Amino acid sequence: MTAPAPASAPSHPKGLGTLRVNGTGYDVPLAPDRNLLYVLREELGLTGTKYGCGEGECGACKVLLDGVAVRACQTSVGEVVGHAITTIEGLAQGEEFHPVQTAFVEAGAFQCGFCTPGMILQAVSLLRQNPDPSEDEIRAALNGNICRCGGYFRIVAAVQRASTLLRSAAEAPP
Amino acid sequence: MTAASSVVPFDLLPVKERPYFEHYGPGLVVVLPAKRPGPSGWGEGGPPHGGAWIHIGEDGRARAFSGKVEVGQGTRTALSLVVAEELRLPLSSVILTMGDTDVCPWDMGTFGSRSMPDPAQHLRTTGAAARAVLERLAAARLGVPPQEIEVEGGEARVRSRPDGGSVSLGELVRGHQEVVIVDPATTHPEPPSSWTRAGHPVEDVASKEVVTGRRRYTSDLQLPGMLHGKILFPPSYGAKLRKIDVAAAQAIPGVVVVREGEFVGVVAPDMMSARAALRAIRAEWESSPQPSDHEIVEFLRQHLAEGEDFWDVLQHETGNVKDAYASAAASFHETYTTAYIAHSPLETHAALAAWQDGRVTVWVGTQTPFRARDALSDALGIPPSSVRVIVPPTGSGFGGKHAAELAIGTARLAKDVGHPVRVVYSRQEEFTQAYFRPMAVIDVRSSVGKDRALTAWEFHVLNAGSAAARIPYRVANQKIDNQPTESPLPQGSYRALAATANNFARESHVDEVAAQLGFDPVEFRLRHLADDRLATVLRAVTEHAGWNPRPSPAPARDGQGRGVAVGLEKGGRVATFVEVEVPDDRHLRIERIVTGYECGAIVHPSNLRSQVEGGTVMALGGALFEAVRFQDGRVLNPKFSEYRVPRFQDVPPIEVLLLDRKDLPSQGGGETPLIALAPAIANAIFDAAGTRLRSLPLVPDGIVP
Ligand code: FES
Ligand code: FES
């Protein structure tokens, strides 16, 4: 499977649109029955975004749309043309992890790891809107994400730690 | 990732004829011989196993091999740690290959909490033997006796003299092609009390791949030319295919319909067309009448059966219960039940198959790769040596990934179309085509004498196994057995399967007896406990929780209650304390959980803690609300919105106490920590509200009746 060529021309043949994923543009067909999860995984080879239910009920497929977490399985590609999509593969800056990734590693906040990409992106989205959430706010924000391995405590602890890391980075003098 | 051809799996070759060095380059190979099944089952020293081997290469790294698989229980890191410990290497210098039937030791399967008692011990022994060989090689090289040599951090050096020279392990084995057989009788691994790597917290070896999305699960794998498959399943349990029309499916561009006897599947260039093709098949099914969930207890009582392969039938009798009843001061009789529940792993079942020169490689998230190899060989009519099963990282299993049907179906599709084929279950298929944790019906009868001690204990289990059916309390007269029944749903292995059911029945019943007699529930248990280690765990937990001794139910009637339960299974000892509130609106609130666990010497403490926490969360679902609803062989709630699993907001604070016994052999921690939770909650509800609940799930809609 080869990924479609990165987009070059601004105008598209009929039925194609440009998806901007992790800073790269891809021309993809926009039929209404094509959801973002399918296109990311099967056509762009970005398999870090997971299929857990395809019905909007588990959160394994979450990606960032202009910085806000959405369920890729409930999003048709046509809706997101022109928006910035970030998947788990695009979260780190080169070799440097996002603080939420660092916190998940340090807290050992996964077992099988299958829910982890969705959890991390949901947490990034939460901390962007609410840099210092209470434990209840974290639980509420992440309640749509299932961890069948039951790693909830460590995930909450990781999000708390990430919040501290992010705020101390923001306060640090340049 | 290539599908190898014309090779013979290592485990099917004599030890000395395996092509270790062709695969992994020159170096030293140390092999612990296999233990074949004895005539009388497992016998001394645990179940049969395929041995262990470690290769030390010219790069100074150790490659270790285990037939176990990693499905999220952390075994990869724990096993790597014991190898690092024995060879005194950094964890990053250990490469562990798991679940690849071409190169790993034969293994029964990853279930029954055996990874710490078995492969961890085999790898320790093999690692210790490898270090001894390295010490001898270094002694010869540096001109000192072997006892003068110290191996540490990838080097061998002279212990007493810092200037006495040193040599790297890679240098030591350069150009070697030596296979050494381990004699376990004369090899002594490092005792846990002097571990410096194992037994200490470490980061999971897969962390970086997991948090960057780079880790590839079976459902993420792609091969050149790969096509996508779907399998046609009956709409209800036991339904038979009567008529089928595949014309509309076949008319979809690129779609091939594959039929072999009962098996029907489709293959398409992409997943969307495969799904469309499956939907386009017109099939007529003949279904036979099946019982529904409301009549299931009676059905099981009336349909006793022979056991299936996961059955472990127990018939235990000591003393004479009838005589005990005749002279009893009081006797008690109750029935306890548990529901069918689903594993619902977050990664649905997935498989990828590729054929080359008559040999098939199947990547599949299975907990039993060698059993899958045999099943594939049988179903496809090819020798086991023509099958390779590889288990990629798997998005959890919990005992739900033992069957080989998907691997077989995928291999059939790939063979028919002459391309690699991948099949991934939808969530609905996961809920309807997997098997379930068996429902259990347990009749318990007991009596006490004039001294208010237990005198008789009868425990009859229907349709669950024997795990944890024995009683850890002193009772002179006992009759304990289990009885398989027919099942109206497919059923099979599950994390802590029968132990959960049996422990729920026993620990609920013991609590009922204590309450009837006016005993504090902890005191009643301690008076009867025959196992000191279990008593120690119970004391540790109640002390930590601040247990206030008094009989249940609570006299205050303010809706606050607490309960406790213990369990002993697979060598592990667990005690769980729960605090609940049952307010006037009867909405159950779990306020606090304390679980204490002891399983001998702890190999990987942070992972064990994670297993206990996660297991408690999983057990919470089955205790409170998880149940498969069914009617006429159909599952009625095959979605996460209808089959409720625990989420962030369902989970109360959980405190985990780990008791490390460095003087005792290591046992597993993936199952036993679950088994005391449900009865502890039921006992706490009784304490708070005076209501005794005897069926799991206890409060499907959250309300105490
Ligand atoms: S896969 Fe999208 S929410 Fe489950
Ligand atoms: S770590 Fe397995 S589902 Fe969360």
Side-chain angles (χ1 to χ4, degrees):
Chain A
M1 171 83 47
T2 50
S8 47
S11 67
H12 296 110
K14 207 165 159 298
L16 285 189
T18 302
L19 280 190
R20 290 206 70 78
V21 185
N22 302 331
T24 305
Y26 302 90
D27 283 349
V28 299
L30 297 180
D33 61 341
R34 290 162 49 79
N35 73 50
L36 180 59
L37 176 61
Y38 181 86
V39 171
L40 290 173
R41 287 181 53 80
E42 302 300 325
E43 296 184 2
L44 307 189
L46 294 169
T47 54
T49 309
K50 300 301 182 200
Y51 168 89
C53 69
E55 300 172 312
E57 297 174 355
C58 76
C61 64
K62 283 192 177 157
V63 298
L64 298 179
L65 187 62
D66 300 328
V68 177
V70 297
R71 294 163 302 186
C73 74
Q74 300 298 299
T75 306
S76 93
V77 278
E79 296 171 53
V80 294
V81 166
H83 296 269
I85 298 159
T86 307
T87 69
I88 191 70
E89 291 92 341
L91 188 61
Q93 302 291 318
E95 285 304 296
E96 194 180 325
F97 281 177
H98 187 282
V100 175
Q101 290 171 307
T102 306
F104 266 66
V105 171
E106 287 175 5
F110 64 88
Q111 291 183 27
C112 76
F114 204 76
C115 68
T116 311
M119 291 284 181
I120 288 178
L121 292 171
Q122 181 62 60
V124 170
S125 177
L126 165 68
L127 295 174
R128 189 164 165 269
Q129 289 159 8
N130 180 357
D132 190 10
S134 69
E135 182 173 340
D136 282 350
E137 287 170 333
I138 295 172
R139 287 175 181 265
L142 268 58
N143 207 48
N145 288 56
I146 292 173
C147 176
R148 188 58 171 151
C149 298
Y152 295 128
F153 311 97
R154 290 180 182 216
I155 297 170
V156 170
V159 177
Q160 288 169 327
R161 170 91 183 119
S163 158
T164 310
L165 289 175
L166 275 164
R167 281 178 293 121
S168 61
E171 279 160 21
Chain B
M1 192 171 65
T2 53
S5 62
S6 71
V7 291
V8 179
F10 278 29
D11 70 305
L12 300 178
L13 288 169
V15 168
K16 295 264 185 184
E17 288 168 31
R18 296 172 186 159
Y20 306 101
F21 307 108
E22 281 165 41
H23 278 245
Y24 304 108
L28 168 71
V29 166
V30 179
V31 185
L32 176 77
K35 172 176 182 275
R36 296 296 173 203
S40 57
W42 287 12
E44 281 297 299
H49 62 79
W53 47 88
I54 296 176
H55 170 278
I56 317 277
E58 292 180 338
D59 58 0
R61 303 219 261 183
R63 290 177 179 274
F65 298 83
S66 171
K68 295 288 178 210
V69 304
E70 172 65 62
V71 292
Q73 77 285 38
T75 306
R76 173 175 292 282
T77 301
L79 294 181
S80 302
L81 259 178
V82 298
V83 175
E85 177 67 48
E86 294 303 331
L87 288 164
R88 311 222 169 118
L89 282 171
L91 198 50
S92 57
S93 295
V94 176
I95 303 163
L96 178 68
T97 300
M98 299 179 76
D100 178 342
T101 60
D102 263 10
V103 295
C104 292
W106 176 88
D107 181 77
M108 293 191 300
T110 305
F111 53 81
S113 294
R114 300 298 312 175
S115 294
M116 291 305 104
D118 303 335
Q121 301 314 313
H122 308 150
L123 285 171
R124 284 177 66 200
T125 305
T126 313
R131 193 176 76 218
V133 177
L134 292 168
E135 283 166 359
R136 274 205 302 280
L137 292 174
R141 177 81 67 100
L142 300 173
V144 296
Q147 54 273 25
E148 284 286 294
I149 296 291
E150 170 181 62
V151 171
E152 181 60 54
E155 270 188 359
R157 51 178 174 257
V158 180
R159 194 187 299 274
S160 52
R161 285 180 288 135
D163 57 342
S166 70
V167 54
S168 75
L169 302 188
E171 189 52 43
L172 265 186
V173 302
R174 185 163 311 281
H176 278 246
Q177 298 217 359
E178 194 183 349
V179 178
V180 177
I181 311 290
V182 180
D183 176 4
T186 59
T187 307
H188 304 291
E190 206 61 56
S193 53
S194 49
W195 281 348
T196 59
R197 293 174 173 84
H200 300 268
V202 288
E203 208 171 83
D204 189 283
V205 291
S207 291
K208 299 203 163 52
E209 292 202 316
V210 168
V211 302
T212 52
R214 284 202 303 264
R215 193 190 217 192
R216 298 239 162 187
Y217 299 79
T218 305
S219 49
D220 300 330
L221 300 179
Q222 303 210 345
L223 286 178
M226 184 183 90
L227 303 174
H228 297 264
K230 275 281 169 196
I231 296 168
L232 181 72
F233 293 114
S236 63
Y237 186 47
K240 293 267 169 291
L241 187 58
R242 282 293 161 251
K243 257 170 85 184
I244 183 163
D245 175 0
V246 300
Q250 226 135 19
I252 299 174
V255 166
V256 178
V257 177
V258 178
R259 296 181 60 180
E260 264 188 69
E262 292 272 284
F263 175 82
V264 182
V266 298
V267 177
D270 60 82
M271 265 166 98
M272 288 216 295
S273 319
R275 283 200 289 259
L278 188 71
R279 275 196 304 272
I281 292 180
R282 255 170 276 289
E284 279 177 32
W285 301 89
E286 186 180 302
S287 51
S288 45
Q290 302 282 347
S292 300
D293 43 18
H294 61 271
E295 58 202 0
I296 180 67
V297 173
E298 271 318 298
F299 177 90
L300 295 184
R301 286 197 190 281
Q302 286 160 14
H303 292 79
L304 308 185
E306 299 284 307
E308 286 176 50
D309 67 341
F310 65 89
W311 271 93
D312 180 12
V313 175
L314 172 72
Q315 304 275 352
H316 170 77
E317 195 165 354
T318 52
N320 185 325
V321 290
K322 292 225 166 57
D323 291 352
Y325 294 137
S327 60
S331 59
F332 310 91
H333 190 178
E334 293 296 347
T335 297
Y336 305 84
T337 65
T338 63
Y340 287 99
I341 63 174
H343 309 80
S344 48
L346 200 57
E347 183 190 26
T348 59
H349 278 68
L352 164 61
W355 290 80
Q356 194 181 338
D357 306 329
R359 192 166 197 264
V360 67
T361 301
V362 183
W363 292 262
V364 57
T366 176
Q367 296 177 245
T368 49
F370 286 88
R371 223 197 267 169
R373 181 178 75 185
D374 291 345
L376 280 156
S377 143
D378 279 354
L380 302 169
I382 54 176
S385 59
S386 296
V387 180
R388 179 181 192 181
V389 175
I390 299 175
V391 184
T394 298
S396 73
F398 313 124
K401 290 179 174 167
H402 288 192
E405 277 83 3
L406 173 62
I408 294 168
T410 308
R412 281 195 209 285
L413 294 176
K415 185 169 189 196
D416 199 273
V417 299
H419 278 268
V421 170
R422 194 182 79 194
V423 180
V424 180
Y425 277 6
S426 68
R427 177 54 55 187
Q428 172 155 357
E429 287 169 336
E430 186 67 34
F431 269 116
T432 55
Q433 301 309 322
Y435 52 84
F436 302 105
R437 184 187 77 181
M439 165 159 193
V441 177
I442 301 168
D443 295 312
V444 188
R445 195 165 172 194
S446 64
S447 68
V448 293
K450 292 191 186 50
D451 61 351
R452 301 195 302 159
L454 288 167
T455 52
W457 184 262
E458 253 187 282
F459 197 84
H460 305 291
V461 186
L462 283 183
N463 199 40
S466 65
R470 285 171 187 269
I471 180 165
Y473 302 111
R474 272 181 295 266
V475 189
N477 305 290
Q478 303 181 10
K479 195 166 185 324
I480 299 172
D481 51 49
N482 68 336
Q483 167 67 52
T485 68
E486 284 176 25
S487 170
L489 290 177
Q491 59 182 23
S493 171
Y494 198 101
R495 189 182 198 182
L497 187 170
T500 293
N502 293 331
N503 222 62
F504 169 64
R506 188 193 64 244
E507 287 299 301
S508 296
H509 192 81
V510 165
D511 221 70
E512 294 193 51
V513 174
Q516 291 283 342
L517 300 177
F519 268 109
D520 169 63
V522 173
E523 189 200 341
F524 190 70
R525 284 180 173 80
L526 287 173
R527 280 182 174 223
H528 286 88
L529 268 181
D531 185 89
D532 286 345
R533 287 167 67 185
L534 186 53
T536 303
V537 181
L538 175 59
R539 284 199 194 91
V541 163
T542 48
E543 196 166 297
H544 176 91
W547 183 266
N548 165 27
R550 58 160 175 75
S552 290
R557 293 284 158 205
D558 56 358
Q560 304 290 326
R562 87 293 195 246
V564 73
V566 298
L568 191 173
E569 173 60 15
K570 300 196 166 78
R573 271 88 174 157
V574 63
T576 299
F577 164 90
V578 172
E579 228 166 67
V580 301
E581 184 184 357
V582 183
D584 290 341
D585 68 1
R586 310 292 279 182
H587 250 102
L588 177 69
R589 274 180 57 93
I590 309 236
E591 308 275 359
R592 183 182 179 207
I593 297 173
V594 182
T595 285
Y597 191 56
E598 190 254 283
C599 58
I602 299 172
V603 175
H604 183 359
S606 47
N607 185 59
L608 179 59
R609 191 168 285 276
S610 178
Q611 282 296 310
V612 177
E613 290 169 355
T616 305
V617 172
M618 189 162 210
L620 194 68
L624 296 181
F625 40 68
E626 282 184 43
V628 174
R629 288 187 283 118
F630 57 98
Q631 189 176 11
D632 300 325
R634 281 173 204 260
V635 174
L636 301 177
N637 53 342
K639 294 160 76 82
F640 278 131
S641 54
E642 295 166 352
Y643 181 95
R644 182 175 167 199
V645 300
R647 291 178 182 261
F648 278 92
Q649 292 179 316
D650 295 318
V651 173
I654 299 178
E655 294 149 63
V656 176
L657 303 182
L658 298 180
L659 286 75
D660 192 6
R661 288 289 304 267
K662 295 235 185 276
D663 54 322
L664 294 169
S666 306
Q667 304 289 336
E671 300 191 86
T672 303
L674 284 73
I675 68 177
L677 181 70
I681 295 174
N683 296 342
I685 292 173
F686 175 74
D687 191 56
T691 309
R692 177 53 68 176
L693 300 177
R694 300 190 183 89
S695 291
L696 297 186
L698 297 166
V699 286
D701 50 6
I703 312 279
V704 176

